[in-house]
Amino acid sequence: MTDKDLIIDFMKTCTVEVTPGGAAKVEDFREILRPDTTVYVTFLPGSDFADTVKTVRRLRDEGMNPVPHFAARSIPSKAFLEDNLKMLQGEVGVEEALLIGGGVDNPVGEFHCSMQVLETQLFEKYGIKKLGVAGHPEGSPDIPAADVSKAIREKNAYAKNTDMSMYLATQFCFEAEPILAWDKKIREEDGNELPVHIGIPGLATIKTLIKHAQACGIGASMRVLTRQAANIAKLMTVRMPDKLTHDLAVAVAKDPDCLIKQCHLYPLGGLKKSAAWLYAVQDGEFDMDAKKGGFKVNVEIG
């Protein structure tokens, strides 16, 4: 297969996400996304989970496959979790979810980490068949490295004793090398056997990407941006994740032991543009750029 073929194959199952606030600005998702697109719905610290539920319901009504986020430290009680899972499964037919610890210092309820939520077995009880849990290729700003490794081992142990299909979902990164090194490390040192869904940044200005990266505690791979940001004139340049996508697709294809199975696109600069770029890639509407080591889509992004 050519590099172009590898990229198309690697990106064919890529997922996207939207915040409830961002969803409110979208008149109709069917004008932006293709039918059955898997769309993660975020739950941000301090927000109302009812807004996540409302967005999940709307996405389902407009022909998408919605995946709600659950943030352990923002769940007020086991009863609250159960009520919402029951409603999401019964009324919306949700069968996939994402569980993260959540970026708040003080838990609002009884859960301090995602493992405590898993151990309630409520996801299984209410029909969740596929569950993403957090992975951290560049570490976590609020979790010690030893605890991150421990969490990987615990999640793998849990996965062996549940009927749910589990995978690791990661924050976005900007370079392939740290991602590939992390995948190898957690396989060899932590015994990871879970598939990995790698986050990649969507189309956004370098200024916007740096802002989001700093807020999320992105590590070494942010050097790609900071080098470019040294030129002030480039701060408002829209950056596309073509080189990262190319490097991952080729590396994954070469390593049969690699557990990176697909990408998740964070539309940091807007869902419409990032989705248009993604579909152009999936359709093969791009030309390889040997000089820069990436590619360029040849359709109008808008």
Side-chain angles (χ1 to χ4, degrees):
M1 295 176 72
T2 65
D3 284 7
K4 183 172 183 176
D5 292 330
L6 293 175
I7 291 166
I8 294 170
D9 186 64
F10 184 58
M11 295 298 285
K12 66 184 179 183
T13 55
C14 185
T15 54
V16 299
E17 76 173 37
V18 67
T19 65
K25 299 174 184 177
V26 177
E27 186 172 335
D28 191 329
F29 281 103
R30 288 166 291 196
E31 296 176 356
I32 298 175
L33 301 174
R34 293 176 178 175
D36 297 320
T37 295
T38 294
V39 185
Y40 288 72
V41 183
T42 64
F43 177 67
L44 302 176
S47 60
D48 188 341
F49 192 71
D51 293 332
T52 294
V53 172
K54 179 181 177 181
T55 305
V56 166
R57 184 181 287 111
R58 181 186 161 196
L59 282 162
R60 177 68 81 203
D61 290 344
E62 293 178 10
M64 307 302 154
N65 173 40
V67 178
H69 284 200
F70 289 86
R73 291 192 284 274
S74 293
I75 298 172
S77 67
K78 180 179 177 180
F80 177 90
L81 173 64
E82 182 159 17
D83 288 345
N84 280 282
L85 280 170
K86 182 178 181 179
M87 182 276 299
L88 283 168
Q89 205 282 329
E91 296 181 21
V92 191
V94 167
E95 295 184 344
E96 181 178 355
L98 177 69
L99 173 64
I100 58 176
V104 295
D105 294 331
N106 299 308
V108 302
E110 59 196 87
F111 301 114
H112 294 254
C113 65
S114 57
M115 279 306 304
Q116 291 175 321
V117 180
L118 279 176
E119 288 164 358
T120 67
Q121 298 189 331
L122 288 174
F123 287 104
E124 291 95 333
K125 180 177 179 180
Y126 290 101
I128 298 300
K129 297 178 180 178
K130 188 175 183 180
L131 183 71
V133 289
H136 304 279
E138 299 187 86
S140 172
D142 55 358
I143 307 175
D147 289 346
V148 171
S149 292
K150 179 184 177 185
I152 292 288
R153 294 192 295 270
E154 290 177 338
K155 290 166 184 174
N156 272 267
Y158 190 90
K160 288 180 170 66
N161 294 290
T162 180
D163 290 333
M164 290 190 301
S165 171
M166 292 177 60
Y167 60 92
L168 295 179
T170 82
Q171 187 51 274
F172 59 89
C173 304
F174 298 100
E175 266 187 313
E177 185 179 343
I179 295 170
L180 297 166
W182 169 77
D183 169 68
K184 184 177 181 181
K185 174 186 177 295
I186 61 173
R187 278 187 278 128
E188 295 178 351
E189 297 180 15
D190 302 320
N192 181 58
E193 296 179 3
L194 298 177
V196 177
H197 296 193
I198 285 291
I200 62 174
L203 277 62
T205 64
I206 293 173
K207 181 179 180 180
T208 296
L209 291 172
I210 289 175
K211 177 183 176 182
H212 281 285
Q214 290 172 334
C216 297
I218 303 302
S221 72
M222 199 169 79
R223 63 193 172 194
V224 172
L225 295 184
T226 52
R227 285 198 297 264
Q228 293 173 311
N231 183 341
I232 302 299
K234 289 186 176 182
L235 280 176
M236 300 311 294
T237 301
V238 173
R239 188 174 187 275
M240 302 185 187
D242 54 292
K243 187 177 188 308
L244 171 61
T245 302
H246 167 264
D247 292 350
L248 284 174
V250 172
V252 167
K254 288 181 178 178
D255 183 1
D257 295 323
C258 183
L259 286 172
I260 297 172
K261 301 303 180 184
Q262 66 180 76
C263 285
H264 173 71
L265 188 65
Y266 288 83
L268 304 173
L271 180 61
K272 185 175 181 179
K273 286 185 177 181
S274 290
W277 178 87
L278 171 62
Y279 293 138
V281 175
Q282 290 179 340
D283 293 343
E285 297 289 343
F286 62 92
D287 298 312
M288 301 303 299
D289 186 340
K291 185 177 180 181
K292 294 183 178 180
F295 57 87
K296 184 176 181 180
V297 298
N298 51 31
V299 299
E300 184 63 38
I301 296 299

